[in-house]
Amino acid sequence: MKTIQKRIRSMPILLTVPAFGLLFAVFGIPMILLFLTSVNAPSFSLANYEGFFAQRSYVLILFQTFKISLVATAFCLIIGYPTAYLIAIAGRARPLLMVLVFLPWLTSALVRTYAWTVVLGDNGLINNFLLNVGLIDTPLSLIYNRFAVYVGMVHIMLPMMILPMVSVMVNIDSSLMAAARSMGARHLTAFLRVFLPLSIPGVRSGCILVFVVCLGFYVTPQALGGLGDTMLSTLINSQLTTTLDMAPTAAAAFVLLAMALVVLSMAGVNLASAHGQPGATEQKVRASRFPLFSNLARYINELGVSRRAKRWAGKLYQGQRVTPWSQIIGAGFLTIVMIYLLAPGLIVIAISFSAGEFLEFPPRELSLRWYYSFFNDPSWIGALWNSFQFAVIVSAVSTIVGTMAAFGLSRCSTRLRSSLTMTILTPITFPVIVVGVAVYLGLARLGLVGTSTGIILGQAIGAIGYVVVVVLATLSGFDRRLEQAAMSMRAGPTQTFMRVTLPLIRSGIIGGALFAFLASFDEVIITSFVSGYAIPTLPLKMLENLKQQVDPTIAAVGALLTLLPVVWLVALYFTLWRTRGTLQKTTVNPA
């Protein structure tokens, strides 16, 4: 035991071995096998890729996937940027607004998709309202088309666009904008010349995250779109369930993965050179490419120099002023966005208390009928119990393995830590449909498809990534001199970790465990491949009901899953509060 402790102390990277061992066994080696299958190893040919691109319908679906992902990302950026800006300058209201954005992100994507079927359906909230006020005579076609797909995808991905941008914007020095205004720049000019370039890293991160995740969307386009809105993930799932030949499926999966890798590689290059300098370089490149237009623009610009000089002298050294109208417009825009994010979940909760045979909003009578139906149906309870068991086990395994990996990574060099962290995060950065196919292939070779062990392993590889991210962020602010002080008092490595390190990073570990629990509880794609619907979980049962019938019981399930993140946030808040109280007591009473 002492020998192992000495080796770990001299080589903390050994703590990452369990995480990488599980990752390579369940995901890494199957990905290699999937690639070899796609190129017909050992004969090696590109026949499957040629066959994919020879099918005109496949190529159209590929372009359609790219187009839908791009348009959804553009909508998220158009809505998300002003929302993030308003949250960043909201002052004391910022934490509350962040929670309101964070809450839908933690809610099951399946529940949010179901909510939009209730809102956009022929007998849904919007059509009923328009019919009742007499604006239309027949229901509008708001669902099972491209419009509904965009509404659902943007609703699911908008928090993922807003959160990275807010994290960058809050760190921008507000005095820079005030300085630009004091030098005579208009508010729009100061924003475009100062604030916008500094916020580009957040915009880039948000766009890349949203676009890559959109490439692997499966449930939302299938539930809200029509036959003409098929995405490549739907095609891959159809091939996997209808044919025993894995080679075409593997080729389609790697075509989708190639699209994601191209975008991620572009993001990696740009992120490494962020912080404003690239913008100047790009401007120089554009100017050199179009000398005629740049000379014309410079000439037009010089025409207004005298007028701007007079205005600059008048506005010089004046501070920034916020007009009431801008505050009203900003508050109105923020309110609309929050309604868009939160209303579907609240509607699901409301209709879950309906007493009628069909879904209706607002409910005419309040009843717990559908909750009784849920808790008295053995199939629903069995699915809930399965999901709960898997989530607890996956959370425990991923928390232990992920915390060890994060601890080892925090002791590595920066370059090694960056590359190893990106490797651990591949299951949550690659399109989930590709991860699902690879995991299915790997577990099928081990005879674990259709087993509880297979489901736990398949869900754990993604959950470990969430734990590593959260715990690693907590360890980044950890003062290692506390450990050195404990060890100077003859405490061993285990005693130092249990008495010093663990209490200080406990909140991060609990946060990572809760993230892992939610990720496992909500997982549907990988679980559907690995379980083969032989072991039903709550998301699989919901997906099955969404495909076959609109049972109002599903509203009660959706309400319970919507409230689950609230419980999570309350638990995390009290954990952080207790940790802070303990640290304050330690500071006040150091003896």
Side-chain angles (χ1 to χ4, degrees):
M1 187 66 184
K2 290 184 178 179
T3 306
I4 296 175
Q5 287 181 350
K6 284 183 180 178
R7 288 198 175 184
I8 291 176
R9 189 176 175 184
S10 59
M11 296 181 64
I13 193 67
L14 292 176
L15 291 171
T16 64
V17 170
F20 280 106
L22 183 61
L23 182 66
F24 285 126
V26 180
F27 178 64
I29 295 174
M31 280 296 291
I32 297 172
L33 294 175
L34 192 66
F35 178 72
L36 293 176
T37 304
S38 73
V39 295
N40 290 327
S43 58
F44 292 104
S45 73
L46 297 177
N48 295 311
Y49 292 93
E50 292 173 356
F52 179 89
F53 287 103
Q55 291 276 349
R56 187 172 179 274
S57 59
Y58 288 4
V59 176
L60 289 177
I61 290 174
L62 178 64
F63 280 107
Q64 187 165 272
T65 301
F66 185 86
K67 179 183 176 183
I68 292 175
S69 302
L70 191 64
V71 173
T73 305
F75 277 123
C76 286
L77 178 61
I78 293 170
I79 301 172
Y81 192 91
T83 306
Y85 176 76
L86 292 170
I87 292 175
I89 63 172
R92 293 181 178 178
R94 189 194 304 157
L96 175 62
L97 294 172
M98 289 289 289
V99 170
L100 294 179
V101 174
F102 202 54
L103 204 56
W105 185 62
L106 294 175
T107 307
S108 166
L110 204 57
V111 173
R112 287 184 279 171
T113 301
Y114 166 71
W116 283 112
T117 64
V118 175
V119 175
L120 300 176
D122 290 345
N123 296 316
L125 180 63
I126 295 177
N127 272 319
N128 280 339
F129 173 76
L130 295 176
L131 286 169
N132 289 334
V133 298
L135 290 177
I136 57 174
D137 297 324
T138 57
L140 298 174
S141 298
L142 300 177
I143 198 170
Y144 307 129
N145 51 35
R146 187 68 57 86
F147 167 77
V149 172
Y150 287 141
V151 169
M153 289 178 68
V154 171
H155 178 255
I156 292 173
M157 299 310 302
L158 189 56
M160 195 173 283
M161 176 68 80
I162 292 173
L163 294 174
M165 288 194 292
V166 172
S167 66
V168 172
M169 290 178 180
V170 295
N171 291 319
I172 296 176
D173 190 350
S174 59
S175 63
L176 296 176
M177 285 280 286
R181 293 293 306 275
S182 70
M183 296 301 290
R186 292 183 177 179
H187 185 78
L188 180 61
T189 304
F191 176 82
L192 294 176
R193 296 289 184 90
V194 178
F195 193 89
L196 182 61
L198 293 174
S199 65
I200 289 299
V203 173
R204 189 179 295 127
S205 300
C207 289
I208 295 304
L209 281 172
V210 171
F211 184 79
V212 171
V213 175
C214 283
L215 286 177
F217 256 64
Y218 166 66
V219 174
T220 304
Q222 193 179 37
L224 299 179
L227 294 176
D229 304 309
T230 303
M231 294 183 71
L232 197 54
S233 54
T234 308
L235 175 66
I236 293 171
N237 180 63
S238 175
Q239 286 181 333
L240 191 65
T241 53
T242 57
T243 179
L244 297 176
D245 188 4
M246 279 292 296
T249 307
F254 270 91
V255 169
L256 181 62
L257 180 60
M259 290 175 62
L261 288 178
V262 167
V263 176
L264 283 173
S265 61
M266 291 170 60
V269 172
N270 291 333
L271 285 172
S273 60
H275 306 301
Q277 293 180 357
T281 306
E282 290 171 3
Q283 287 182 358
K284 290 178 183 177
V285 171
R286 284 199 299 269
S288 61
R289 284 179 181 175
F290 306 102
L292 178 62
F293 290 105
S294 62
N295 291 333
L296 180 61
R298 190 181 304 115
Y299 175 74
I300 295 174
N301 187 42
E302 289 177 355
L303 292 178
V305 168
S306 59
R307 185 180 62 84
R308 290 200 299 273
K310 291 180 181 177
R311 182 181 176 280
W312 176 78
K315 298 287 184 180
L316 195 60
Y317 305 130
Q318 290 185 5
Q320 184 177 1
R321 290 182 301 174
V322 179
T323 62
W325 278 111
S326 64
Q327 289 181 325
I328 294 172
I329 294 173
F333 179 82
L334 211 51
T335 303
I336 293 172
V337 173
M338 292 303 163
I339 291 174
Y340 172 64
L341 287 175
L342 299 171
L346 297 176
I347 290 171
V348 169
I349 294 175
I351 63 175
S352 69
F353 294 101
S354 172
E357 292 289 337
F358 304 99
L359 298 173
E360 57 180 2
F361 182 85
R364 297 175 186 175
E365 296 180 18
L366 297 180
S367 168
L368 295 175
R369 172 183 180 179
W370 302 115
Y371 288 93
Y372 285 119
S373 172
F374 171 74
F375 286 106
N376 289 323
D377 188 336
S379 62
W380 280 112
I381 294 300
L384 174 64
W385 179 239
N386 286 338
S387 291
F388 181 76
Q389 289 184 92
F390 292 144
V392 170
I393 297 173
V394 168
S395 177
V397 172
S398 57
T399 300
I400 295 171
V401 176
T403 301
M404 290 173 61
F407 196 80
L409 290 171
S410 67
R411 265 60 177 175
C412 297
S413 64
T414 304
R415 180 175 296 181
L416 181 62
R417 179 169 63 244
S418 177
S419 57
L420 292 180
T421 304
M422 285 303 299
T423 304
I424 289 181
L425 296 183
T426 47
I428 57 177
T429 52
F430 281 10
V432 65
I433 194 79
V434 178
V435 179
V437 174
V439 170
Y440 170 78
L441 180 65
L443 295 177
R445 289 178 177 272
L446 297 174
L448 294 175
V449 170
T451 65
S452 299
T453 305
I455 295 174
I456 291 168
L457 291 175
Q459 294 180 351
I461 58 170
I464 289 173
Y466 289 112
V467 175
V468 168
V469 169
V470 177
V471 178
L472 203 56
T474 307
L475 285 169
S476 64
F478 179 73
D479 188 354
R480 293 183 62 184
R481 290 176 298 181
L482 298 173
E483 290 181 338
Q484 294 169 356
M487 298 185 81
S488 69
M489 300 298 288
R490 295 186 179 182
T494 305
Q495 193 176 12
T496 302
F497 178 80
M498 297 301 294
R499 294 290 184 90
V500 178
T501 310
L502 183 60
L504 294 175
I505 65 171
R506 184 173 55 196
S507 60
I509 294 174
I510 294 175
L514 290 172
F515 262 112
F517 182 90
L518 285 177
S520 169
F521 199 84
D522 189 34
E523 216 295 316
V524 62
I525 304 297
I526 297 175
T527 309
S528 66
F529 287 151
V530 177
S531 76
Y533 291 94
I535 303 176
T537 61
L538 199 58
L540 287 183
K541 177 75 175 167
M542 286 185 66
L543 183 61
E544 184 183 355
N545 277 35
L546 278 176
K547 288 179 179 177
Q548 297 177 356
Q549 58 180 336
V550 184
D551 182 0
T553 307
I554 202 172
V557 183
L560 293 174
L561 292 180
T562 304
L563 294 174
L564 185 64
V566 178
V567 177
W568 176 90
L569 287 177
V570 171
L572 185 61
Y573 172 79
F574 279 106
T575 303
L576 294 174
W577 177 69
R578 286 193 60 183
T579 302
R580 185 177 302 174
T582 304
L583 291 175
Q584 287 177 349
K585 288 180 180 177
T586 305
T587 306
V588 173
N589 302 312

